[in-house]
Structure formats: C-alpha cells, structure tokens
C-alpha cells in the first residue's frame, strides 16, 4: 500500500462535478411520517461519505432514494456525470450493500456474484473473469463453489460486497452493512472496505449509527437528526491516510471520535427540543 | 463394516472464519454413526413388520378364523399371486389417474399461483373460487361430474385433479409471496425484468413451498382417485383398484380385498417416497429442511 497514493485520494477537488447530487429531497411515507426533510447533498467522486445518525433519522431512506429503490416525495436526484438510461437511472450502475448479506441461498457464491451481470444479459463464460476478480478482492477466491449457508456472517457480507463491486459501479452505497457483525469481524471488514475504496478509486456512501466506524472510515461525515430526518452537520474529516491499526489507537482518532460524537449528541439534543 | 472412510485431511483455508466450514461433517465417527443410523432405520421397521405378519398368521391358524372374516397373510399373498391378472390392470388404471391428475394439478397450480401473484385484482377475483373448489366435498361433486362428462375415467381424473390442485396452489402462492424483500429490491436495483424476477428469484424461492405442496398433493391425488371411484362406481373393463375392492367385498372374496388394499398402501408409500426423494434432491444443497442440524 503506497501511502503517497493514499494521501492524494480524498482530495475531491471542488472543480469536479458530483457523482450524485440530491436537491431538496423529502420523503413522506404513506402513513404520514416525514422520514426525510429537505436534504441537499453533493457526493463528489472519490469521497467516502458516512451518513451518521440515530435510528429514524432517515439515513437509510436517503440511501434508498439515491439508489432509486424509493421515490422522493419532493426534490430531485441528479447524476451529473452519468448517462441516464430509459428508466431514469444512471447507466453506470450503483452497487448496493444491504444490512443483511441478502444472498440467494439456492445459488453458489459464484452464482450470487454473477447475478448483476446475468440480469444485464451477460453470459457466464464472459463474466467468469470479472466474477473471480471480484471474489479475489474480498478474499473469497477459494469459495466460489460454496453455498451461502456454508459461510460465516463476515464471509457472507464479503460475498455481498463482491456482488456490489462486480459491475464496477460509479458509486457504492452501503446501508449499515456491518451492524450485525461482531467487533473483530467488523474492524476487519472496515479495513477491507477502506482498502477497496482506495485501490479501486470508489465513491462510497456509508450509512452507520456508529460514531467510531464513521470516524475511522470517512473523508466526510454527514450527521443527521431525527423527527423529521434531516442533515444537521456536514463535517469534512481531514485525518491522514492510510488509516490502519496505528490510526485506531492514535490520539488523533480519539479526538476525532469525540468531535463526531459531540456533533451527534448535538443533533440528537436538537431533536429532543423540537419534539 | 470393513470399508471405513479414510480420514480426510482438510487443508485449512487461509481465512480464520473459514476453518469451521471446511471441517464440518467430515469426521470419521460421524459417518459411522450415520451408517449405523441408516441400518437401524431400515432394520427396525422391517423387523416389526415381519413380527406383525407372523403374529397375524399364527392367530388365524390357531384361532381358526375363517378366511371371509380375516384371511391369513399366506392367503392374501396367494390371492395377490393368483388374481394378479385382475388386480394389475386395475392398479395401472388407478396409477394412471393418480399421476395424470397430479401432473395436471402441478402444472395448473403453479400456473395459477404465478398468475395470482401478478396482481392483487386477479387474486381477489379468482382465489375465492379456488377455495370453494377445495372445500366442497369431492364425493358430492362426483355424481354430477358423471352427468357432464362422457367417460367415468375423465370424471375420476377431474376429481383427483381438484383435490390435488389446491395444496399445490396455496403453497405456491405462499412461496411466491415469501420472497426476501431485500432480494426483490436488489433485482429492482439491477433493472431485472418481470420475467427475470420470476424465473431467477420468485420461482427458486418458492421451491421449498412447492415441494411441500407436491408431497401433500401426491398423497391426496391417490386418495381422491380411490374415493371418487367409490362414489362414481365404475364397472367392468377400465376400472381401478377401488372398484376391485368393492367387487371383492360383494363376493366375500376377502383375501382379494386385502390384496387390493395392500396394493393401494404400497402405491401410497411409493408416492410418498418418490415425492420426498424429489424434494430432498432439489433442496439438499441449500434449504434448511433438507439439512441435518449440527450444533
């Protein structure tokens, strides 16, 4: 891992156009709950953006709207740098990692990772190389023939990440992906995601409710408040790269975590006054 | 048991998380106990069966029970042998009705289930009629069917079909609706067409439910084929085992009645075994129901 390259990575210059741009997006559910209120957000290429907030702050809703899994009630989502296909989605695809691994139990690991390509009509033989490459990047090259039930929770999540990466997406959306995992597996996967982000030049939007996870991973943290869900603070994180075990035990990280935690407390407190 | 399986040397995968996986289910003692378990599972019921038959034979011989009350196993076996010329064609007729009905019910049940889950309107319009068809006693429809269709065979087939159809339909509808929502989202995200979602996601996800429907439907098809024949009262050439049962009863040919009964039982067991095998074969790689629990 060359640290020089890493150091350059988060310099998302303001001259660039955003990968995705949300303008005044609101979402009201059919039961009347205002889940997200007036969110405006630009995601620049190469950023690692975390949406951090208490439950019910609309962070997952925001992510789903970006992925066009749900319609915004008002406001728009734009993809300034992507061609838009007939269904109004960016032609260069979105990778999505759900909170659960969301694998098809009747397919092997290979078959699960093949799915996005298969749905785009690509043959298995033509896709083989890309699938195996995606599996190698998450360290599961030897498990192509295994079924999901034979894998541990962490490994299933890796398969899910490989599936999201196999289409070489313009943006990777992750919805509390490691929330259900134990601390050790979670740290390991956090390191892996950071490595992938930097090696593949990904743009990542990462939903989490963990201050420490957000502080460790992000180049920018969006702190959100609830009732109604909204953006409270947008804080760039300029801690140096690479971030590894050394960073995790550093004074810097502790200070950063405290700062992020304060921002989150502030967001929650504001909510309490409003409620 | 001389052919003990060799200890499999499993190379530990590089990943820590993976170790548990590779070792799972490959230890020697477990295979031996699995084999002993299998032997037991065959030997014990067979032994009980032999014992029962022996007791039956001894009881009939020593209590001097007349054959028209309770024939001895030997007499039943003799009847099975000598009347094979009558019983075998009847068995074929019953089998033909059962399997044709089952296949039609499978095709119809799956097709209608797929149709029903396409839209709420279709479900609202059609599902009540499927339920009505199911809850109306089949014996009550049989005489009516005989009025409408020209051949008894067709009437029997329709009866068996109606009975086998519903469990397959309702299981299939349940299965098609039980697809993981996040997987549906995922298919949406990657722009899957309706056909792709049905073929690659909904149908495979419904497979365990389909198999449950198949097991129930298979057994019911045979029962319905027999019950309908009782009610419809076919006669002469082309009649099935149910008619032969009744005929033997009228003639007080009880050994033959027993022989026909045994044929029906064996058929039922065979259908159960076959559908269970199909279910196991198609689910063994991934579904919890086909897997052994290991803790």
């Amino acid at each position: 891992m060359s640290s020089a390259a890493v150091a350059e990575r988060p310099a998302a210059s303001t001259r660039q156009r955003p990968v995705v741009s949300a303008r005044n997006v609101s979402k009201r559910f059919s039961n009347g709950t205002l889940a997200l209120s007036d969110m405006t957000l630009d995601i620049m290429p190469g950023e690692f953006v975390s949406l951090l907030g208490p439950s019910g702050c609309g962070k997952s809703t925001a992510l789903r709207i970006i992925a066009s899994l749900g319609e915004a009630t008002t406001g728009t989502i734009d993809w300034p740098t992507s061609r838009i296909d007939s269904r109004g989605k960016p032609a260069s695809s979105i990778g999505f990692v759900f909170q659960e691994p969301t694998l098809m139990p009747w397919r092997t690991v290979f078959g699960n990772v093949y799915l996005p390509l298969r749905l785009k009509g690509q043959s298995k033989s033509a896709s083989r190389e890309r699938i195996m490459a995606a599996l190698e990047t998450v360290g599961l090259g030897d498990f192509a023939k295994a079924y999901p039930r034979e894998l541990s929770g962490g490994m299933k999540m890796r398969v899910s990440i490989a599936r999201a990466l196999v289409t070489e997406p313009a943006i990777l959306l992750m919805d509390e992906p490691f929330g259900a995992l134990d601390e050790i597996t979670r740290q390991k996967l956090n390191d892996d995601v950071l490595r992938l982000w930097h090696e593949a030049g990904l743009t990542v939007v990462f939903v989490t409710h963990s201050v420490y996870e957000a502080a460790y991973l992000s180049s920018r943290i969006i702190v959100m408040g609830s009732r109604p869900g909204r953006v409270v603070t947008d804080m760039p994180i300029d801690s140096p790269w690479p971030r590894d075990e050394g960073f995790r035990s550093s004074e810097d990280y502790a200070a950063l975590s405290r700062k992020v935690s304060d921002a989150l407390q502030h967001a929650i407190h504001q909510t309490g006054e409003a409620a | 048991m001389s052919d003990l399986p060799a200890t499999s040397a499993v190379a530990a995968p590089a990943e820590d998380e993976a170790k548990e996986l590779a070792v799972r289910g490959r230890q020697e003692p477990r295979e031996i106990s699995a084999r002993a378990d299998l032997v037991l599972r065959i030997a014990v019921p067979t032994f009980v069966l032999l014992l029962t038959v022996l007791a039956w034979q001894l009881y009939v011989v020593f209590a001097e029970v007349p054959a028209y009350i309770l024939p001895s196993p030997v007499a039943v076996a003799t009847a099975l042998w000598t009347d094979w010329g009558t019983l075998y064609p009847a068995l074929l007729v019953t089998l033909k009705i059962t399997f044709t009905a089952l296949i039609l019910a499978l095709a119809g049940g799956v097709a209608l289930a797929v149709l029903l889950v396409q839209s709420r309107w279709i479900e609202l319009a059609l599902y009540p009629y499927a339920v009505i068809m199911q809850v109306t006693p089949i014996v009550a429809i049989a005489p009516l069917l005989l009025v409408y269709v020209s051949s008894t065979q067709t009437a029997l087939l329709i009866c068996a079909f109606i009975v086998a159809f519903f469990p397959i339909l309702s299981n299939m509808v349940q299965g098609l609706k039980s697809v993981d929502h996040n997987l549906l989202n995922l298919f949406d995200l990657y722009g899957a067409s309706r056909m792709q979602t049905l073929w690659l996601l909904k149908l495979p996800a419904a497979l365990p439910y389909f198999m449950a429907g198949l097991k129930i439907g298979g057994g019911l098809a045979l029962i319905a084929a027999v019950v309908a024949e009782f009610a419809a009262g076919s006669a002469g050439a082309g009649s099935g085992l149910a008619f032969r049962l009744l005929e033997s009863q009228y003639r007080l040919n009880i050994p033959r009645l027993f022989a026909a009964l045994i044929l029906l039982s064996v058929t039922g067991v065979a259908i159960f075994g076959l559908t269970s095998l199909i279910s196991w074969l198609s689910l063994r790689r991934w579904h919890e129901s086909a897997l052994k629990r290991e803790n």
Side-chain angles (χ1 to χ4, degrees):
Chain A
M1 204 184 273
S2 110
S3 55
V6 181
E8 286 166 21
R9 282 276 302 136
S13 106
T14 43
R15 289 190 315 270
Q16 283 175 302
R17 288 196 294 164
V19 181
V20 60
S21 154
R23 288 278 163 273
N24 308 104
V25 169
S26 296
K27 171 76 178 182
R28 190 179 286 280
F29 286 128
S30 50
N31 64 9
T33 312
L34 186 60
L36 190 62
S37 161
D38 201 32
M39 183 183 76
T40 295
L41 183 65
D42 285 335
I43 309 288
M44 304 306 288
E47 275 191 310
F48 197 121
V49 179
S50 287
L51 304 183
L52 173 69
S55 55
C57 73
K59 50 194 195 298
S60 289
T61 309
L63 201 69
R64 276 158 197 266
I65 290 173
I66 292 174
S68 14
L69 283 175
E71 294 275 307
T73 313
T74 57
T76 54
I77 301 284
D78 272 330
W79 299 84
T81 53
S82 307
R83 279 187 304 114
I84 302 294
D85 67 13
S86 55
R87 300 182 312 130
K89 296 189 183 183
S92 52
S93 68
I94 300 165
F96 202 106
V97 178
F98 293 90
Q99 192 165 8
E100 291 93 34
T102 314
L103 303 175
M104 298 178 289
W106 56 89
R107 291 250 179 250
T108 59
V109 165
F110 183 93
N112 269 289
V113 177
Y114 173 39
L115 179 77
L117 301 174
R118 180 168 188 178
L119 292 175
K120 291 192 185 337
Q122 301 189 18
S123 77
K124 195 183 265 187
S125 53
S127 316
R128 183 168 302 273
E129 222 167 280
R130 285 172 72 181
I131 296 165
M132 289 316 292
L135 282 174
E136 292 294 343
T137 57
V138 297
L140 288 180
D142 295 336
F143 292 89
K145 292 199 174 100
Y147 281 82
R149 64 167 187 87
E150 299 170 309
L151 307 179
S152 68
M155 291 164 87
K156 283 183 203 166
M157 220 57 228
R158 285 165 194 272
V159 177
S160 189
I161 294 171
R163 179 181 60 195
L165 292 177
V166 78
T167 53
E168 292 165 8
I171 189 165
L172 180 61
L173 308 175
M174 307 181 88
D175 187 3
E176 292 185 38
F178 311 137
L181 300 177
D182 62 272
E183 192 58 31
I184 297 165
T185 311
R186 181 183 231 197
Q187 287 188 4
K188 208 167 159 189
L189 282 167
N190 279 342
D191 286 336
D192 284 349
V193 166
L194 268 191
R195 178 178 54 80
L196 287 169
W197 169 66
H198 133 74
E199 280 173 4
L202 291 170
T203 306
V204 180
V205 181
F206 192 98
V207 166
T208 180
H209 52 234
S210 159
V211 166
Y212 306 101
E213 198 171 47
Y216 185 69
L217 294 170
S218 318
S219 65
R220 183 177 158 206
I221 297 177
I222 311 285
V223 181
M224 299 179 73
S226 56
R227 272 169 299 207
R230 69 206 185 284
V231 175
V232 176
T233 319
D234 186 340
M235 49 195 310
I237 305 298
D238 42 18
S239 299
W241 309 83
R243 297 181 188 162
D244 51 19
E245 275 313 309
F247 178 63
R248 208 170 248 139
S249 51
S250 71
E251 200 52 48
D252 253 10
Y253 177 57
L256 177 60
S257 298
R258 209 171 307 125
K259 193 174 134 200
V260 176
S261 182
D262 286 346
L264 181 62
Q265 284 308 319
H266 176 67
I268 294 170
H269 185 62
Q270 251 191 359
T271 305
E273 276 175 350
Chain B
M1 278 193 269
S2 57
D3 53 339
L4 285 176
T7 318
S8 49
V10 179
E15 193 144 3
D16 297 345
E17 304 163 30
K19 278 180 187 158
E20 183 203 356
L21 151 76
V23 187
R24 202 182 280 174
R26 300 211 179 157
Q27 286 101 332
E28 233 175 272
R30 197 168 283 165
E31 279 190 26
I32 295 172
S33 79
R35 197 172 300 184
D37 185 53
L38 185 70
V39 170
L40 268 182
R41 276 166 47 148
I42 295 172
V44 171
T46 311
F47 181 70
V48 171
L49 180 72
L50 288 176
L51 212 63
T52 314
V53 170
L54 188 68
W56 176 5
Q57 177 74 31
L58 291 177
Y59 169 69
V60 169
V61 169
F62 287 108
E64 293 178 354
V65 185
Y68 56 83
I69 302 285
L70 179 68
S72 70
V74 172
V76 173
T78 312
L80 194 60
W81 176 257
T82 53
D83 297 344
W84 187 246
T86 321
L87 293 173
Y88 180 63
L91 173 66
L92 284 188
V93 168
T94 301
L95 282 179
K96 196 178 136 199
I97 290 171
T98 304
F99 279 99
T100 315
L102 183 59
I103 288 165
L104 288 177
L106 290 177
V110 171
L112 187 62
V114 168
L115 193 68
L116 285 182
V117 296
Q118 291 307 309
S119 108
R120 209 177 132 60
W121 289 106
I122 302 177
E123 188 181 1
L124 277 175
L126 295 183
Y127 201 70
Y129 297 98
V131 174
I132 289 171
M133 254 169 68
Q134 168 65 15
V135 297
T136 309
I138 195 66
V139 187
I141 312 179
L144 191 64
L145 280 175
L146 278 177
V147 177
Y148 293 142
V149 297
S150 50
S151 91
T152 316
Q153 302 281 306
T154 317
L156 298 186
L157 184 62
I158 294 173
C159 287
F161 164 79
I162 292 173
V163 171
F165 173 78
F166 191 79
I168 294 162
L169 173 74
S170 63
N171 272 290
M172 202 58 199
V173 167
Q174 188 66 26
L176 290 171
K177 283 181 172 178
S178 305
V179 181
D180 180 351
H181 284 191
N182 274 337
L183 274 172
L184 285 171
N185 281 337
L186 187 79
F187 272 65
D188 260 5
L189 189 74
Y190 288 118
S193 66
R194 264 177 114 89
M195 261 329 264
Q196 282 177 320
T197 308
L198 177 68
W199 194 248
L200 295 175
L201 176 59
K202 289 189 176 175
L203 287 178
L207 195 63
Y209 294 84
F210 171 79
M211 288 302 162
L214 173 69
K215 278 196 227 172
I216 302 167
L220 284 181
L222 177 66
I223 293 172
V226 171
V227 171
E229 199 178 8
F230 280 157
S234 65
S239 42
L241 276 176
F243 171 74
R244 294 296 165 200
L245 264 173
L246 287 177
E247 184 198 46
S248 311
Q249 185 210 355
Y250 298 146
R251 297 180 181 178
L252 274 186
N253 190 346
I254 306 302
R256 191 200 272 186
L257 192 153
F258 266 85
L261 204 53
I262 284 171
L263 282 179
L264 279 176
S265 288
V266 169
T267 307
V269 170
I271 289 175
F272 177 79
L274 187 68
T275 51
S276 298
L277 179 71
I278 292 172
S279 170
W280 181 77
L281 282 176
S282 55
L283 301 179
R284 74 200 154 110
R285 303 303 296 272
W286 63 275
H287 198 254
E288 302 299 334
S289 69
L291 299 171
K292 223 180 185 165
R293 194 163 62 146
E294 289 182 52
N295 290 322

